[in-house]
Amino acid sequence: HRSLHTLDLEFNPIGLHGLRSMLRLEIDPTSETTVYLRGFSTDTSTPTVAFNYGDLTEAYRGESAVHLRLPYHRAVLRSLLRRVHDFGSSPDASMRRCLFNSVSTSAGSLCQQRADGSWKIPSSGVMEFDFSLSIPTDEENGMEVLSTW
């Protein structure tokens, strides 16, 4: 978050996904956030919603639906939207059969990119969709495909 300057996670349960998130925050060259971490406990539970940078297809439905009241779920959705942008796609093209609170809708009506590149998304509700990105075929060789991917 742009206005977050200090994050004190002392004695919070942090699992593998939390450690990865903190590492991404720390290595992000645009981040001005300082993370304090002492005496944390490990949380071995695995979130039902996750973002995998290399996974280009995933069903976010049922137990894996995105519960937008949860900050971690919103972070996963924003990561997916950044990946959609990386591929030159749109939310509607990449997040198919979208439901919001069990009502059919378009992902583009829920997720809108701001002028600064960030994404405006709802802060409550349940979003379900099938996520799919296509590997670009415009590249001339395998290395270009991998670097885009």
Side-chain angles (χ1 to χ4, degrees):
H1 195 273
R2 286 177 183 69
S3 63
L4 181 65
H5 296 286
T6 304
L7 181 61
D8 187 349
L9 296 171
E10 188 172 348
F11 299 111
N12 279 286
I14 300 170
L16 180 60
H17 291 284
L19 289 172
R20 284 182 182 163
S21 297
M22 286 188 311
L23 180 59
R24 281 194 303 272
L25 179 65
E26 281 295 306
I27 64 173
D28 181 354
T30 63
S31 173
E32 297 179 8
T33 304
T34 302
V35 177
Y36 294 98
L37 182 64
R38 295 183 309 238
F40 70 93
S41 63
T42 58
D43 177 6
T44 58
S45 63
T46 303
T48 56
V49 173
F51 170 72
N52 180 336
Y53 190 80
D55 191 357
L56 301 181
T57 60
E58 188 74 40
Y60 290 91
R61 298 193 176 282
E63 289 185 9
S64 296
V66 178
H67 292 261
L68 295 165
R69 66 180 163 72
L70 301 173
Y72 178 74
H73 286 221
R74 291 193 306 272
V76 167
L77 180 58
R78 285 190 179 100
S79 294
L80 290 170
L81 291 165
R82 280 192 297 275
R83 200 69 172 128
V84 165
H85 181 76
D86 290 346
F87 273 71
S89 190
S90 69
D92 287 337
S94 303
M95 300 171 169
R96 304 243 176 191
R97 296 180 35 218
C98 184
L99 300 175
F100 185 66
N101 294 330
S102 302
V103 176
S104 182
T105 189
S106 69
S109 68
L110 299 172
C111 308
Q112 297 155 358
Q113 193 168 26
R114 296 181 178 117
D116 67 358
S118 66
W119 290 91
K120 181 182 179 192
I121 61 173
S123 59
S124 63
V126 178
M127 191 172 171
E128 297 182 77
F129 53 90
D130 296 322
F131 180 75
S132 180
L133 289 170
S134 299
I135 296 177
T137 56
D138 299 359
E139 282 70 12
E140 295 185 20
N141 61 53
M143 288 305 291
E144 288 182 14
V145 169
L146 287 176
S147 70
T148 303
W149 182 30

